[in-house]
Amino acid sequence: MSEATAAKPVLLRTLAGSWDRAIKILMGATALYYVWASTVGVVSLQYYRGIAVLYSLVIPLLLYKGWQRARGDRPTLVDLLLAAGATASVIYWMVEHEAMAYRAGDYTALDVAMGAIATVIAIEAARRVLGWDMALCAIVPIVYALFGNYLPFIIGHRGYSMRRIIEYVYLTSDGIFGIMAQVLAEYIIPFVAFGAFLERAGVAQFFVDISLASLGRIAGGPAQASVVSSLLMGTISGSPIAETVTKGAITIPLMKRAGFPGHIAAAVEAAASTGGAIMPPVMGAGAFIMSEMTGIAYLEIIKVALIPGILYFLSVGVMIYFESRKLGLKGFAKEDLPRTRDVWRRGWYLLLPIAILIGVMIAGYSPQVAALYGIVSTIAVSWIRQDTRMGIEQIWQALVNAGKNCVFVAALAGCIGVLIGVLSLTGIIIRFPYMLIELAGQSILITIGLIAIATFVLGLPLPITATYLVVAVVAVPALLKLGVPMLSAHMLIFWLSLDSNITPPVAMGPFAAAAIAQADPMKTGWACFRFAKIIYVMPLLFAYTHILLTGTPAQNIAAIASATLGTILFSIMSTGFFYVKLNFIEWLLLAGATVLGFIPIVPTGIAAIAIFAAVFLSQRKRVAKQLDANALAENVLK
């Protein structure tokens, strides 16, 4: 199931007959085109971006209903007229691209008319897939551009006509045919296609099986298997909701069988799957967009993102282990689990395409070429076993799934283009950083706090990628002025944007998991928030330490060591349970040790370990006393 499917089930159509076949052809052909165009093909810029925009506008109009009571088995006449308008406006842009560049500043009425059509349809496509909240992210800036001359000086501007706004968002590289179209075409579609091929070959089931075989016997074993399989799936998927509904159908019933309450089982899966968005090499669309926005090589981004990504899963795993002990849960019996040797023998070859993907990138080839090698190698290794072999039909189905799984991000492309274009036109992007710094009083910590509030508020209606993009456009310059490195600034905003997937009252990941577990959605959401709250700590490390490998080798090692220690202590403290439940004094001591553990110098690390040891001994002594008291009571009764 795609992220789009999970996010907007009410308006998603179930097409039938020739319409179903036609949409599948469009989606599969688009995926195939960009796997070719981004690797071995030679395509002009206007066609490269234009077809991506055409896909992002037309598919949502045909695949999603415009209103709840519209037909669900085929597009309506209104949908077809909108799709025709989108097609005409995009084809016009592609054909007239060079001519419009020559007449810049003196555009014709037809140029503006086509731009108006594209702008309206871009907003409508986003509304259908993502709701009115996403559409308002484009509508409100347009209103701001129109009436900025009536606003106070600090946020106002001279005001722009609708014609000027349309010209800017349709005819410049800052608008609809800008960065999101480029990222969609160049990175997202090829990598989503690679993930679709791997899933078609059976890699999701293999990851779950190997995780269960390895960890199923320890306390909370099925939950730990969920975490590890999410880490493995995160390397190829990057979509938290898609991971939740794909793996959750397997792992959530297993966790409930092991004794986890339904809302805890669902929360574990949602929290673990959220890590897929920060786990290299895919990281959802985040790594690709960061590379395009910063000019930093994609390989460099995934290299520095690896350690924080692993620490996220370490935090969730530690919390779940102690949560399992708090609930008094055991692992599965050996005979109830698959044998590790059998699982490896049956599916080891499915890891080869991932190894080839990483190896090709390390060898210096582009990420797109690496994705192509990964796809080809996936098809090749699928023939090792008869039940995973991919013939023409399976290859085509993988391409269709890739096209479908991209719809959610594609629907952002035009709307985000309008947003960025209008903000650039009005100049608020340049002024906002100064306003943010002034409000924060030159404090990095307060600035990060304000950004966290912004991502939380925007994350209520928007998905991770949209939240990150909107906030990054205006907040990164403020962080740069305060001395935060470019990549650290982007990374901390991206991490803070993860709360759009986990934080009630709108939390798509936990809500999707709750549906599988038949649990209370709000209880699931808050439990998920508890398991995933390291996302609010790690951004501070990005800003204040060298966890992103920004220092000398010694500084980098110290930052990694302290972050690991701090993460473990933070996770135990957050659970409130060690040997037994932490009392208030023990919790305070562990909280102090956590703060000291995150500071990357030797004395504070030693102090943190010493405090942790004191809490350990205190709990052990308390348990021993309780055991002695129980033994004495038994003797008295005898």
Side-chain angles (χ1 to χ4, degrees):
M1 184 183 294
S2 73
E3 196 166 345
T5 306
K8 206 66 172 163
V10 175
L11 297 182
L12 182 67
R13 284 191 169 100
T14 303
L15 296 171
S18 58
W19 280 109
D20 180 51
R21 289 190 294 273
I23 293 295
K24 286 180 177 177
I25 289 172
L26 287 174
M27 292 189 296
T30 302
L32 180 61
Y33 172 78
Y34 279 108
V35 168
W36 167 80
S38 62
T39 53
V40 297
V42 179
V43 183
S44 299
L45 177 68
Q46 66 263 39
Y47 297 106
Y48 193 67
R49 292 188 180 186
I51 293 175
V53 172
L54 184 62
Y55 160 77
S56 72
L57 299 185
V58 171
I59 295 297
L61 296 173
L62 302 180
L63 198 57
Y64 285 77
K65 296 185 287 186
W67 54 93
Q68 198 166 350
R69 295 185 179 180
R71 292 191 62 157
D73 60 339
R74 55 160 294 166
T76 64
L77 178 60
V78 172
D79 299 325
L80 295 178
L81 289 174
L82 288 172
T87 304
S89 65
V90 173
I91 291 177
Y92 181 84
W93 183 88
M94 290 190 291
V95 173
E96 290 289 309
H97 183 264
E98 293 182 13
M100 287 189 294
Y102 281 113
R103 59 177 180 262
D106 188 27
Y107 298 113
T108 66
L110 185 56
D111 295 340
V112 177
M114 289 297 176
I117 292 170
T119 302
V120 170
I121 293 176
I123 296 171
E124 170 62 8
R127 182 195 69 83
R128 292 193 180 197
V129 178
L130 300 158
W132 271 107
D133 304 300
M134 189 66 236
L136 288 172
C137 282
I139 295 171
V140 171
I142 290 174
V143 174
Y144 169 69
L146 287 171
F147 301 105
N149 54 319
Y150 295 104
L151 297 174
F153 173 76
I154 190 170
I155 60 171
H157 54 80
R158 64 184 179 85
Y160 296 90
S161 66
M162 182 58 78
R163 179 186 178 109
R164 178 68 179 124
I165 295 169
I166 290 170
E167 288 176 353
Y168 201 87
V169 300
Y170 180 66
L171 300 168
T172 72
S173 59
D174 287 332
I176 294 172
F177 296 89
I179 183 173
M180 271 302 293
Q182 182 71 23
V183 170
L184 177 66
E186 190 171 7
Y187 294 107
I188 295 174
I189 294 178
F191 269 85
V192 170
F194 172 56
F197 274 84
L198 274 176
E199 287 191 34
R200 194 73 187 173
V203 74
Q205 185 65 55
F206 170 69
F207 283 160
V208 172
D209 287 346
I210 197 62
S211 302
L212 272 174
S214 305
L215 300 168
R217 298 179 65 187
I218 68 173
Q224 298 294 348
S226 172
V227 175
V228 173
S229 60
S230 289
L231 187 155
L232 296 172
M233 277 291 291
T235 62
I236 62 168
S237 171
S239 171
I241 295 176
E243 271 194 52
T244 298
V245 296
T246 301
K247 288 197 307 88
I250 304 170
T251 59
I252 290 174
L254 284 174
M255 284 187 269
K256 291 179 70 175
R257 259 181 57 202
F260 282 92
H263 73 284
I264 296 293
V268 167
E269 179 56 48
S273 294
T274 297
I278 50 178
M279 191 64 197
V282 176
M283 295 174 63
F288 309 134
I289 295 172
M290 275 184 219
S291 179
E292 197 68 27
M293 292 179 75
T294 63
I296 298 172
Y298 168 77
L299 192 59
E300 181 67 22
I301 291 173
I302 65 172
K303 182 180 74 175
V304 303
L306 179 62
I307 297 298
I310 291 173
L311 289 178
Y312 174 85
F313 286 102
L314 173 65
S315 176
V316 177
V318 171
M319 284 192 197
I320 288 167
Y321 174 77
F322 286 102
E323 184 76 19
S324 302
R325 293 191 58 179
K326 183 165 67 175
L327 294 170
L329 302 180
K330 307 287 185 182
F332 281 145
K334 183 178 180 180
E335 56 270 19
D336 294 333
L337 295 170
R339 293 178 60 188
T340 305
R341 185 188 308 169
D342 293 340
V343 176
W344 274 110
R345 186 170 60 244
R346 191 169 63 246
W348 63 269
Y349 59 89
L350 293 172
L351 297 178
L352 290 176
I354 300 174
I356 289 170
L357 172 88
I358 296 170
V360 170
M361 284 196 290
I362 292 173
Y365 290 91
S366 71
Q368 303 93 301
V369 170
L372 177 61
Y373 273 96
I375 290 170
V376 172
S377 60
T378 301
I379 296 171
V381 301
S382 73
W383 282 74
I384 292 177
R385 290 180 61 85
Q386 186 173 356
D387 57 339
T388 62
R389 287 176 185 169
M390 298 182 71
I392 298 297
E393 183 179 347
Q394 290 76 23
I395 291 172
W396 173 249
Q397 189 58 54
L399 289 169
V400 172
N401 289 342
K404 187 175 183 179
N405 291 344
C406 288
V407 171
F408 190 76
V409 177
L412 291 171
C415 198
I416 289 292
V418 174
L419 168 68
I420 294 175
V422 174
L423 293 181
S424 299
L425 175 64
T426 60
I428 192 65
I429 287 178
I430 298 172
R431 280 181 291 148
F432 185 83
Y434 293 98
M435 296 160 52
L436 189 61
I437 293 171
E438 195 68 29
L439 186 62
Q442 303 287 324
S443 168
I444 294 177
L445 183 61
I446 296 176
T447 301
I448 293 174
L450 293 173
I451 291 171
I453 293 171
T455 56
F456 173 77
V457 173
L458 282 170
L460 292 175
L462 301 184
I464 294 170
T465 306
T467 304
Y468 159 65
L469 264 169
V470 172
V471 177
V473 166
V474 293
V476 165
L479 291 168
L480 295 180
K481 291 180 185 300
L482 292 171
V484 178
M486 171 76 77
L487 185 52
S488 299
H490 277 272
M491 198 70 75
L492 75 83
I493 293 171
F494 187 66
W495 269 68
L496 289 172
S497 300
L498 293 177
D499 65 6
S500 68
N501 188 64
I502 63 170
T503 309
V506 181
M508 285 300 176
F511 289 178
I516 297 171
Q518 296 183 326
D520 184 300
M522 293 303 291
K523 286 178 68 176
T524 301
W526 287 117
C528 178
F529 169 78
R530 181 160 59 89
F531 289 134
K533 60 178 175 282
I534 192 71
I535 66 171
Y536 299 103
V537 176
M538 203 60 67
L540 297 175
L541 303 186
F542 297 158
Y544 287 103
T545 76
H546 298 288
I547 186 66
L548 294 179
L549 311 180
T550 53
T552 65
Q555 289 173 326
N556 295 341
I557 291 171
I560 293 170
S562 65
T564 304
L565 174 61
T567 296
I568 293 171
L569 296 178
F570 174 82
S571 303
I572 297 173
M573 178 199 72
S574 297
T575 310
F577 188 92
F578 192 27
Y579 258 94
V580 290
K581 185 177 179 181
L582 295 170
N583 62 36
F584 183 66
I585 300 298
E586 290 169 339
W587 186 89
L588 281 180
L589 287 170
L590 207 53
T594 299
V595 174
L596 293 172
F598 277 122
I599 300 173
I601 55 176
V602 174
T604 57
I606 293 173
I609 293 171
I611 296 172
F612 175 72
V615 173
F616 169 79
L617 293 173
S618 169
Q619 290 239 309
R620 189 171 178 179
K621 185 177 180 180
R622 189 142 53 94
V623 170
K625 280 185 177 181
Q626 186 62 48
L627 291 174
D628 289 343
N630 291 342
L632 180 61
E634 288 180 10
N635 288 333
V636 170
L637 289 173
K638 288 179 181 178

